[in-house]
Amino acid sequence: MLDFHQELYTHLFMASTNDRFVEAESRWDLKTLYADLAAVKGKPLTPVEKLHLRGLLCGNSPAEIAEKLQKNPKGVETDLCATIYRYVKGFVGKGATC
């Protein structure tokens, strides 16, 4: 069971990530897209995966996403290769290499 501090951090993290790249919601059916990619993954997307996906859907490069989130660009690129890119490739039947 999560202690109070972990629950608070999770709540604050979710709130801060859900208000990033919000314009993607007006252009895409995110609920369906999340569900389709979760089916490929075998479990729901994490908040970070959703955040990075929304960044991409808004037309940002991995470097631009990293800059806007104050993250390491190589880290974001690595995360995308290990997660979102892999799920999309699996969804469209193109394999899982990055």
Side-chain angles (χ1 to χ4, degrees):
M1 185 166 154
L2 294 176
D3 69 14
F4 173 76
H5 296 290
Q6 289 172 315
E7 288 181 28
L8 180 60
Y9 173 79
T10 300
H11 175 73
L12 292 173
F13 178 78
M14 293 290 292
S16 69
T17 61
N18 285 337
D19 66 356
R20 300 292 184 103
F21 308 118
V22 294
E23 57 273 20
E25 194 167 1
S26 65
R27 300 179 192 163
W28 298 87
D29 180 357
L30 293 179
K31 184 176 178 181
T32 300
L33 185 54
Y34 293 159
D36 289 343
L37 295 178
V40 172
K41 179 182 178 185
K43 58 185 175 182
L45 300 181
T46 68
V48 172
E49 289 170 339
K50 290 177 179 180
L51 177 64
H52 289 170
L53 176 60
R54 287 194 313 271
L56 291 172
L57 294 173
C58 289
N60 294 288
S61 70
E64 291 168 330
I65 293 169
E67 182 181 331
K68 291 176 182 182
L69 299 177
Q70 298 178 338
K71 291 184 170 186
N72 180 310
K74 284 292 184 191
V76 170
E77 188 174 324
T78 299
D79 287 349
L80 286 167
C81 285
T83 61
I84 299 300
Y85 293 165
R86 185 173 296 228
Y87 310 150
V88 169
K89 287 178 182 181
F91 182 72
V92 298
K94 299 275 185 186
T97 60
C98 187

